[in-house]
Structure formats: C-alpha cells, structure tokens
Amino acid sequence: VQLVESGGGSVQAGESLTLSCTGSETLFAIDVLAWYRQAPGKERELVASITKTANINVADSVKGRFMISRNRAKNKVQLQMAEVRPEDAAVYYCNAKGKNWLTGIEEDSWGQGTHVFVSS
C-alpha cells in the first residue's frame, strides 16, 4: 500500500495540529495502522496505533494530548495533536503493518514523512 502523509508544518507550543495519512488501498483492511516519529539524532518511536478492531495504543509521552483515528469514508488515518510541545517536533511517519484482509498481502509500508516544527 502507498501511504501519503500531510498536515505537518510549524506551530506554537500549546497549539493543535492534525496529521493525515491516505492510502492507495483500503486502510481499514490492514491489521495495524500507526504513527511514528523521529526527531533529529533520535530513534524512530511509536506515537500511536490503531488495530483493525479499533484497539488503540498511545505512547505515554503523548497520552492525553494526541489521539489516532480512522476515517473510513476518506480512507485515511489521522493523528490529532493537541497541546503540542517543543519535544514533539519531529518527522512523523504513517505505517501500515500486518495482513491486508482484502488482498492477503502482508504489509509493512511507510509514508515519506511529514515534518512538525514547534516553537516555544
């Protein structure tokens, strides 16, 4: 599946931002959709994930501020970011992993990433 992220940009600390990821195939058919991020000099880390059965996992560092959701009609997965902090600045990546139950293909696809800059 081809994934394309959008919605990144520059925000002030405390503001909100929504990232979107659209897929070339039906995202709802894939086991797990997730958002990761990678800050300069750091390893890529999981931010939030949602399974095909709508189980959600959110990293402790963003719990209570970020939420992942899916829009079936628009075939996209979003990351709603609230109360953004300078330490949230990173490149955010969309990931689709696991079985695609429509095609039978095992996926582990990544988008190209979208930058989030946070000024204090």
Side-chain angles (χ1 to χ4, degrees), residues 6-84:
S6 61
S10 296
V11 292
Q12 297 269 359
E15 292 184 341
S16 298
L17 192 67
T18 297
L19 306 182
S20 295
C21 172
T22 56
S24 59
E25 298 175 23
T26 303
L27 295 179
F28 270 73
I30 300 173
D31 277 338
V32 183
L33 304 172
W35 284 96
Y36 286 76
R37 68 185 182 186
Q38 187 167 19
K42 294 188 176 181
E43 293 187 354
R44 191 172 295 189
E45 62 176 357
L46 176 68
V47 178
S49 63
I50 183 167
T51 70
K52 188 174 177 297
T53 53
N55 290 316
I56 291 174
N57 179 43
V58 181
D60 288 342
S61 59
V62 303
K63 196 165 290 183
R65 301 187 296 119
F66 291 11
M67 180 51 65
I68 188 170
S69 63
R70 299 175 300 180
N71 184 317
R72 186 164 192 160
K74 296 183 179 181
N75 196 36
K76 64 171 63 173
V77 56
Q78 294 183 304
L79 183 68
Q80 289 90 31
M81 306 165 62
E83 301 175 23
V84 174

